[in-house]
């Protein structure tokens, strides 16, 4: 028998369903995707499961990728290429695969060239005094905006801080791990933020002026 519901009501219900539910087709999975990272000369790589250990000129780094559904293994006859592979991955998984390659490349750069961040002390009236203790692992900041309190910043493991010999009021933060090095520089910057004042006028602080590697070649 024919439906007794008016056609206008059926059309309205169908329109509501289209507006409230995502009608996009399901995401297509890629059967197999691969990315390759070339191992530089002078770098030793050990892969155990999804744990990558890299040894080079400036030390050793180890990183765990077990939280990602990827396959990491050496590839080629001479084992000079690292292959990162994923099976039946969605677009988000494929993005994670490229992220893994970027992390591994940063590990190669760290053990071969060492990361370096340079910061400048900026002040208008009260000079900022910096003392470096414990072989560069602790930084004490005094007289920021004339304050009496001492700001103590601890470096992350494997990171050291020193004063520049060529440039006045410059700090150099060095480390093999890019995460620890950049976060140590960020801690120094955040320890001297100007609170409850107009930042257009009060510009005192410690600001990053350059970042790169110790070995420029």
């Amino acid at each position: 028998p024919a439906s007794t519901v008016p056609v206008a009501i059926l059309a309205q219900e169908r329109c509501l369903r289209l507006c409230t539910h995502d009608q996009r087709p399901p995401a297509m999975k890629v059967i197999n995707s691969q990315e390759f990272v070339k191992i530089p000369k002078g770098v030793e790589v050990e892969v155990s499961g999804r744990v990558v250990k890299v040894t080079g000129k400036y030390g050793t780094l180890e990183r765990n990728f077990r939280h990602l559904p990827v396959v990491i293994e050496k590839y080629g006859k001479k084992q000079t290429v690292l292959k990162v592979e994923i099976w039946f991955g969605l677009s988000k998984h494929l993005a994670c695969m490229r992220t893994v390659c970027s992390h591994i490349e940063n590990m190669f750069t760290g053990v071969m060239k060492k990361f370096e961040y340079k910061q400048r002390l900026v002040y208008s009236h009260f000079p900022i005094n910096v003392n470096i203790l414990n072989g560069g692992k602790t930084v004490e900041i005094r007289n920021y905006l004339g304050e009496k309190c001492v700001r103590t910043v601890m470096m992350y493991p494997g990171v050291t801080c020193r004063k520049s010999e060529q440039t006045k009021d410059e700090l150099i933060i060095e480390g093999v791990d890019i995460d620890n090095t950049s976060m140590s520089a960020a801690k120094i910057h955040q320890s001297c933020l100007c609170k409850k004042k107009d930042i257009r006028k009060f510009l005192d602080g410690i600001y990053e002026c350059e970042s790169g590697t110790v070995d420029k070649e």
Side-chain angles (χ1 to χ4, degrees):
S3 174
T4 58
V5 181
V7 177
I9 296 178
L10 293 176
Q12 186 178 8
E13 291 180 354
R14 182 174 181 274
C15 183
L16 288 174
R17 286 198 300 272
L18 290 175
C19 294
T20 55
H21 296 282
D22 191 358
Q23 296 297 316
R24 292 177 299 175
M28 183 179 66
K29 292 185 177 182
V30 181
I31 295 177
N32 179 257
S33 297
Q34 299 176 350
E35 290 280 351
F36 298 93
V37 181
K38 186 177 180 179
I39 302 174
K41 293 183 179 179
V43 176
E44 297 181 1
V45 180
E46 298 178 13
V47 181
S48 177
R50 280 171 284 184
V51 179
V52 180
K53 185 177 180 181
V54 178
T55 304
K57 175 182 176 181
Y58 286 105
T60 302
L61 287 177
E62 184 174 326
R63 195 169 188 120
N64 191 337
F65 297 103
R66 288 178 178 170
H67 60 287
L68 296 174
V70 296
V71 178
I72 305 174
E73 60 184 2
K74 290 185 177 180
Y75 183 76
K77 294 182 179 180
K78 297 184 179 180
Q79 303 285 297
T80 58
V81 176
L82 209 59
K83 182 174 74 171
V84 181
E85 186 178 27
I86 190 169
W87 291 85
F88 302 103
L90 298 173
S91 59
K92 290 185 178 180
H93 297 151
L94 301 182
C96 292
M97 180 178 63
R98 183 61 241 174
T99 301
V100 171
C101 295
S102 298
H103 283 309
I104 295 174
E105 289 172 352
N106 285 334
M107 293 169 68
F108 291 160
T109 305
V111 298
M112 287 293 294
K113 299 182 179 180
K114 203 172 191 179
F115 291 101
E116 179 184 65
Y117 286 77
K118 294 183 179 180
Q119 294 182 320
R120 296 294 298 272
L121 310 180
V122 178
Y123 51 85
S124 59
H125 181 69
F126 296 101
I128 301 175
N129 299 324
V130 174
N131 295 327
I132 299 176
L133 309 174
N134 298 332
K137 296 181 180 179
T138 305
V139 178
E140 287 187 350
I141 303 168
R142 302 174 185 268
N143 201 39
Y144 174 69
L145 290 177
E147 296 177 1
K148 298 298 182 182
C149 66
V150 179
R151 292 168 167 82
T152 303
V153 181
M154 303 294 295
M155 298 293 99
Y156 282 89
V159 181
T160 59
C161 180
R162 62 183 175 88
K163 292 183 179 180
S164 175
E165 298 178 358
Q166 289 80 18
T167 307
K168 180 186 176 184
D169 293 335
E170 184 177 68
L171 299 179
I172 300 177
I173 299 96
E174 297 176 344
V176 177
D177 192 338
I178 187 172
D179 292 338
N180 290 349
T181 309
S182 59
M183 287 191 296
S184 298
K187 283 176 66 176
I188 295 176
H189 167 69
Q190 291 175 352
S191 67
C192 291
L193 293 179
C194 189
K195 304 292 183 63
K196 299 182 180 180
K197 290 183 176 64
D198 188 355
I199 59 174
R200 297 171 297 180
K201 178 65 175 176
F202 294 88
L203 300 174
D204 294 24
I206 302 178
Y207 299 95
E208 179 183 333
C209 63
E210 184 181 344
S211 63
T213 57
V214 176
D215 297 345
K216 304 301 181 183
E217 298 180 358

